[in-house]
């Protein structure tokens, strides 16, 4: 993941160094798991957002501290040990001039999104700050995600040839759907549409959807951003989408209240996995 992101950030980082950082950034987790496997398995079964805190409570350190100590013991460059130590610490990763730390933090979130293993709101907020700090655009982020999948496919093919089995890393892709994203916020629209495209879904323009342009009947999933619409617009939109019988979900940020007319609809963050979208479709099957 880090190697895929490296070419796109403004603070240029050697892709090979990024590759090593990607390999090493969670090495502390392997140390803890090897030392106390049963205790660490309990941590892995918990929520991803609580992992660092649980590690600290159980072992007196989290995996980033353990990893940094090992890389320093091996006398590897400080840039690598710092990326290992601070890739979960947004107070550092979003402000540091060391591009490898920021890049590793971005890559870690993208890899988790690719697996569907992430805390929605924490990841959204952190990723937004990291993108702003690094200069990585939404379109470049999606290119990096696509390259990650290509690399994983290559690795999976290699593992099959060698008899080692699957990597289990690629994002599960469901059948292609045609989706419309209903928002007037361009940045949010670009992010959601980019994720949908990455997951293999087709897009239909919002304006064409409401004007019932040819192809609009192919749309079967609508994702609505309520923050950009008035209450009257939301009420009319909810009835309209219900009448069409579409799969639908509300796009929400942390702390956002779901509009009364859309109560009972599934919710998604602005950063979501293929599994989460599939869950929306299962909940709104007509």
């Amino acid at each position: 993941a880090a190697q895929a992101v490296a070419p796109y950030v403004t603070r240029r980082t050697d892709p090979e160094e990024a590759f090593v950082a990607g390999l090493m950034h969670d090495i502390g987790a392997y140390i803890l798991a090897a030392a106390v496997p049963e205790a660490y398995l309990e941590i892995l079964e918990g929520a991803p957002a609580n992992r660092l805190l649980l590690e600290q409570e159980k072992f007196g350190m989290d995996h980033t501290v353990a990893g940094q100590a090992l890389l320093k013991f091996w006398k590897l460059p400080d840039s690598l040990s710092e990326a290992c130590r601070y890739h979960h610490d947004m107070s550092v990763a979003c402000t540091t001039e060391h591009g490898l730390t920021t890049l590793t933090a971005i890559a870690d979130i993208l890899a988790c999104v690719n697996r569907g293993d992430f805390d929605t709101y924490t990841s959204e907020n952190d990723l937004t700050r990291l993108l702003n700090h690094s200069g990585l655009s939404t379109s470049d982020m999606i290119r990096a995600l696509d390259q990650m999948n290509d690399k994983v496919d290559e690795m999976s093919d290699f593992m099959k040839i060698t008899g080692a089995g699957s990597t289990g890393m690629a994002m599960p892709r469901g059948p292609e759907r045609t989706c419309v994203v209903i928002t007037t916020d361009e940045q949010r629209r670009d992010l959601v549409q980019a994720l949908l495209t990455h997951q293999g879904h087709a897009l239909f323009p919002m304006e064409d959807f409401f004007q019932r342009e040819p192809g609009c009947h192919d749309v079967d999933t609508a994702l609505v951003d309520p923050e950009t619409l008035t209450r009257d617009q939301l009420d009319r939109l909810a009835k309209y989408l219900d009448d069409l019988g579409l799969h639908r979900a509300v796009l929400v940020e942390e702390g956002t209240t779901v509009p009364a007319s859309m109560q009972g609809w599934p919710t998604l963050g602005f950063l979501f996995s293929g599994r989460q979208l599939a869950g929306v479709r299962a909940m709104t099957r007509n």
Side-chain angles (χ1 to χ4, degrees), residues 12 56 66 109 131 146 157 160 164 193 208 244 255 259 278 281:
R12 294 298 179 189
Q56 185 69 36
I109 292 176
L131 293 180
D146 289 338
D157 290 341
K160 290 174 185 176
Q193 290 190 159
D208 292 350
L244 289 176
R281 294 183 50 77

Side-chain angles (χ1 to χ4, degrees), residues 25-26 52 63-64 83-90 105 108 126:
H25 76 290
D26 274 341
L52 294 179
H63 71 271
T64 68
C84 179
R85 172 66 181 87
Y86 296 112
H87 68 277
H88 287 306
D89 187 339
M90 294 303 114
D108 183 71
D126 290 348

Side-chain angles (χ1 to χ4, degrees), residues 33-280:
V36 279
E38 292 185 4
Y40 203 73
L41 181 60
E42 293 178 9
I43 290 176
L44 292 178
E45 291 172 345
N50 299 329
R51 193 163 297 166
L52 294 179
L53 179 61
L54 292 174
E55 289 173 347
Q56 185 69 36
E57 289 177 350
K58 278 187 175 289
F59 312 124
M61 69 175 69
D62 61 48
H63 71 271
T64 68
V65 175
Q68 182 189 41
L70 179 62
L71 297 189
K72 282 184 173 294
F73 178 76
W74 284 345
K75 301 187 185 306
L76 292 179
D78 288 344
S79 58
L80 288 174
S81 64
E82 289 182 11
C84 179
R85 172 66 181 87
Y86 296 112
H87 68 277
H88 287 306
D89 187 339
M90 294 303 114
S91 66
V92 176
C94 293
T95 59
T96 182
E97 293 301 312
H98 295 158
L100 188 62
T101 299
T102 304
L103 183 151
T104 304
I106 294 171
D108 183 71
I109 292 176
L110 295 186
C112 290
V113 170
N114 224 36
R115 296 193 305 267
D117 173 27
F118 64 102
D119 179 79
T120 299
Y121 297 122
T122 301
S123 298
E124 276 182 34
N125 295 334
D126 290 348
L127 185 60
T128 298
R129 294 171 61 196
L130 288 164
L131 293 180
N132 290 336
H133 182 57
S134 68
L136 185 71
S137 68
T138 300
S139 58
D140 286 341
M141 180 190 75
I142 297 302
R143 289 191 189 98
L145 274 170
D146 289 338
Q147 289 178 18
M148 284 166 53
N149 269 357
D150 291 342
K151 291 288 185 184
V152 169
D153 289 342
E154 291 175 9
M155 189 180 298
S156 295
D157 290 341
F158 175 76
M159 298 288 272
K160 290 174 185 176
I161 291 171
T162 59
S166 171
T167 63
M169 292 171 58
M171 174 184 285
R173 293 176 183 261
E176 180 180 298
R177 306 295 179 183
T178 301
C179 306
V180 60
V181 180
I182 301 175
T183 180
T184 57
D185 185 299
E186 290 187 7
Q187 186 175 15
R188 289 173 168 176
R189 181 201 62 205
D190 290 347
L191 175 59
V192 174
Q193 290 190 159
L195 284 171
L196 290 169
T197 300
H198 174 66
Q199 293 169 16
H201 302 294
L203 302 172
F204 198 81
M206 179 180 70
E207 294 81 4
D208 292 350
F209 175 73
F210 287 122
Q211 293 174 11
R212 309 310 290 163
E213 295 289 344
C216 67
H217 297 293
D218 295 331
V219 174
D220 69 351
T221 303
L223 305 181
V224 180
D225 172 15
E227 291 296 297
T228 62
L229 302 172
T230 67
R231 179 175 177 178
D232 180 60
Q233 287 174 324
L234 289 168
D235 291 345
R236 288 187 285 120
L237 177 61
K239 184 178 186 308
Y240 181 65
L241 296 179
D242 284 341
D243 289 344
L244 289 176
L246 300 182
H247 299 283
R248 54 213 175 273
V250 186
L251 296 167
V252 294
E253 295 180 311
E254 187 173 16
T256 300
T257 301
V258 176
S261 58
M262 297 178 180
Q263 289 288 336
W265 288 23
T267 59
L268 284 175
F270 286 89
L271 191 65
F272 54 85
S273 69
R275 285 194 187 95
Q276 290 172 323
L277 184 61
V280 164

